[in-house]
PDB file of all heavy atoms in Angstrom:
ATOM      1  N   THR B  35     -39.736  30.072 -47.409  1.00 94.00           N
ATOM      2  CA  THR B  35     -38.501  30.737 -46.971  1.00 94.00           C
ATOM      3  C   THR B  35     -38.421  32.108 -47.629  1.00 94.00           C
ATOM      4  O   THR B  35     -39.087  32.356 -48.643  1.00 94.00           O
ATOM      5  CB  THR B  35     -37.247  29.958 -47.415  1.00 94.00           C
ATOM      6  OG1 THR B  35     -37.173  30.011 -48.849  1.00 94.00           O
ATOM      7  CG2 THR B  35     -37.297  28.511 -46.964  1.00 94.00           C
ATOM      8  N   ASP B  36     -37.566  32.963 -47.080  1.00 92.00           N
ATOM      9  CA  ASP B  36     -37.422  34.284 -47.698  1.00 92.00           C
ATOM     10  C   ASP B  36     -36.599  34.213 -48.987  1.00 92.00           C
ATOM     11  O   ASP B  36     -36.422  35.210 -49.670  1.00 92.00           O
ATOM     12  CB  ASP B  36     -36.838  35.304 -46.706  1.00 92.00           C
ATOM     13  CG  ASP B  36     -35.489  34.892 -46.179  1.00 92.00           C
ATOM     14  OD1 ASP B  36     -34.950  33.860 -46.638  1.00 92.00           O
ATOM     15  OD2 ASP B  36     -34.960  35.596 -45.306  1.00 92.00           O
ATOM     16  N   THR B  37     -36.049  33.014 -49.292  1.00 92.00           N
ATOM     17  CA  THR B  37     -35.375  32.858 -50.582  1.00 92.00           C
ATOM     18  C   THR B  37     -36.303  32.161 -51.591  1.00 92.00           C
ATOM     19  O   THR B  37     -35.845  31.627 -52.599  1.00 92.00           O
ATOM     20  CB  THR B  37     -34.051  32.092 -50.442  1.00 92.00           C
ATOM     21  OG1 THR B  37     -34.292  30.909 -49.669  1.00 92.00           O
ATOM     22  CG2 THR B  37     -33.010  32.934 -49.719  1.00 92.00           C
ATOM     23  N   HIS B  38     -37.598  32.133 -51.270  1.00 95.00           N
ATOM     24  CA  HIS B  38     -38.653  31.743 -52.223  1.00 95.00           C
ATOM     25  C   HIS B  38     -38.762  30.238 -52.498  1.00 95.00           C
ATOM     26  O   HIS B  38     -39.292  29.846 -53.525  1.00 95.00           O
ATOM     27  CB  HIS B  38     -38.522  32.533 -53.541  1.00 95.00           C
ATOM     28  CG  HIS B  38     -38.333  34.000 -53.319  1.00 95.00           C
ATOM     29  ND1 HIS B  38     -39.330  34.813 -52.820  1.00 95.00           N
ATOM     30  CD2 HIS B  38     -37.242  34.794 -53.468  1.00 95.00           C
ATOM     31  CE1 HIS B  38     -38.866  36.045 -52.688  1.00 95.00           C
ATOM     32  NE2 HIS B  38     -37.599  36.053 -53.076  1.00 95.00           N
ATOM     33  N   GLU B  39     -38.274  29.417 -51.572  1.00 95.00           N
ATOM     34  CA  GLU B  39     -38.563  27.989 -51.679  1.00 95.00           C
ATOM     35  C   GLU B  39     -39.755  27.675 -50.768  1.00 95.00           C
ATOM     36  O   GLU B  39     -40.035  28.401 -49.820  1.00 95.00           O
ATOM     37  CB  GLU B  39     -37.362  27.136 -51.222  1.00 95.00           C
ATOM     38  CG  GLU B  39     -36.178  27.159 -52.168  1.00 95.00           C
ATOM     39  CD  GLU B  39     -35.257  28.354 -51.942  1.00 95.00           C
ATOM     40  OE1 GLU B  39     -35.383  29.015 -50.875  1.00 95.00           O
ATOM     41  OE2 GLU B  39     -34.444  28.656 -52.837  1.00 95.00           O
ATOM     42  N   ILE B  52     -40.102  25.767 -55.606  1.00 96.00           N
ATOM     43  CA  ILE B  52     -39.997  27.220 -55.513  1.00 96.00           C
ATOM     44  C   ILE B  52     -41.340  27.854 -55.831  1.00 96.00           C
ATOM     45  O   ILE B  52     -42.169  27.285 -56.528  1.00 96.00           O
ATOM     46  CB  ILE B  52     -38.889  27.822 -56.406  1.00 96.00           C
ATOM     47  CG1 ILE B  52     -39.146  27.567 -57.890  1.00 96.00           C
ATOM     48  CG2 ILE B  52     -37.528  27.278 -56.010  1.00 96.00           C
ATOM     49  CD1 ILE B  52     -38.245  28.383 -58.789  1.00 96.00           C
ATOM     50  N   ALA B  56     -41.345  33.464 -57.294  1.00 94.00           N
ATOM     51  CA  ALA B  56     -39.961  33.309 -57.761  1.00 94.00           C
ATOM     52  C   ALA B  56     -39.924  32.976 -59.250  1.00 94.00           C
ATOM     53  O   ALA B  56     -39.106  33.509 -60.006  1.00 94.00           O
ATOM     54  CB  ALA B  56     -39.264  32.214 -56.963  1.00 94.00           C
ATOM     55  N   ASP B  92     -29.118  30.042 -57.862  1.00 92.00           N
ATOM     56  CA  ASP B  92     -28.988  28.836 -57.044  1.00 92.00           C
ATOM     57  C   ASP B  92     -30.332  28.492 -56.422  1.00 92.00           C
ATOM     58  O   ASP B  92     -31.082  29.381 -56.031  1.00 92.00           O
ATOM     59  CB  ASP B  92     -27.994  29.086 -55.905  1.00 92.00           C
ATOM     60  CG  ASP B  92     -26.573  28.779 -56.323  1.00 92.00           C
ATOM     61  OD1 ASP B  92     -26.388  27.987 -57.260  1.00 92.00           O
ATOM     62  OD2 ASP B  92     -25.660  29.333 -55.704  1.00 92.00           O
ATOM     63  N   LYS B  94     -31.852  27.072 -53.108  1.00 95.00           N
ATOM     64  CA  LYS B  94     -31.355  26.894 -51.743  1.00 95.00           C
ATOM     65  C   LYS B  94     -32.249  25.920 -50.987  1.00 95.00           C
ATOM     66  O   LYS B  94     -33.463  26.059 -50.976  1.00 95.00           O
ATOM     67  CB  LYS B  94     -31.336  28.244 -51.017  1.00 95.00           C
ATOM     68  CG  LYS B  94     -30.281  29.182 -51.577  1.00 95.00           C
ATOM     69  CD  LYS B  94     -29.525  29.877 -50.460  1.00 95.00           C
ATOM     70  CE  LYS B  94     -28.264  30.546 -50.962  1.00 95.00           C
ATOM     71  NZ  LYS B  94     -28.531  31.625 -51.920  1.00 95.00           N
ATOM     72  N   TYR B 145     -45.370  34.883 -45.922  1.00 94.00           N
ATOM     73  CA  TYR B 145     -44.635  34.940 -47.188  1.00 94.00           C
ATOM     74  C   TYR B 145     -45.289  35.928 -48.151  1.00 94.00           C
ATOM     75  O   TYR B 145     -44.628  36.730 -48.804  1.00 94.00           O
ATOM     76  CB  TYR B 145     -44.542  33.550 -47.830  1.00 94.00           C
ATOM     77  CG  TYR B 145     -43.788  33.579 -49.144  1.00 94.00           C
ATOM     78  CD1 TYR B 145     -42.403  33.772 -49.171  1.00 94.00           C
ATOM     79  CD2 TYR B 145     -44.464  33.460 -50.360  1.00 94.00           C
ATOM     80  CE1 TYR B 145     -41.711  33.837 -50.376  1.00 94.00           C
ATOM     81  CE2 TYR B 145     -43.779  33.514 -51.569  1.00 94.00           C
ATOM     82  CZ  TYR B 145     -42.401  33.694 -51.568  1.00 94.00           C
ATOM     83  OH  TYR B 145     -41.725  33.769 -52.757  1.00 94.00           O
ATOM     84  N   LEU B 148     -44.323  39.252 -47.317  1.00 92.00           N
ATOM     85  CA  LEU B 148     -42.935  39.524 -47.708  1.00 92.00           C
ATOM     86  C   LEU B 148     -42.837  39.945 -49.171  1.00 92.00           C
ATOM     87  O   LEU B 148     -42.158  40.914 -49.509  1.00 92.00           O
ATOM     88  CB  LEU B 148     -42.092  38.270 -47.457  1.00 92.00           C
ATOM     89  CG  LEU B 148     -40.629  38.327 -47.870  1.00 92.00           C
ATOM     90  CD1 LEU B 148     -39.820  39.102 -46.852  1.00 92.00           C
ATOM     91  CD2 LEU B 148     -40.068  36.918 -48.035  1.00 92.00           C
TER      92      LEU B 148
END
Side-chain angles (χ1 to χ4, degrees):
Chain B
T35 66
D36 59 5
T37 49
H38 313 291
E39 289 84 15
I52 62 168
D92 272 336
K94 291 224 166 64
Y145 180 72
L148 177 78

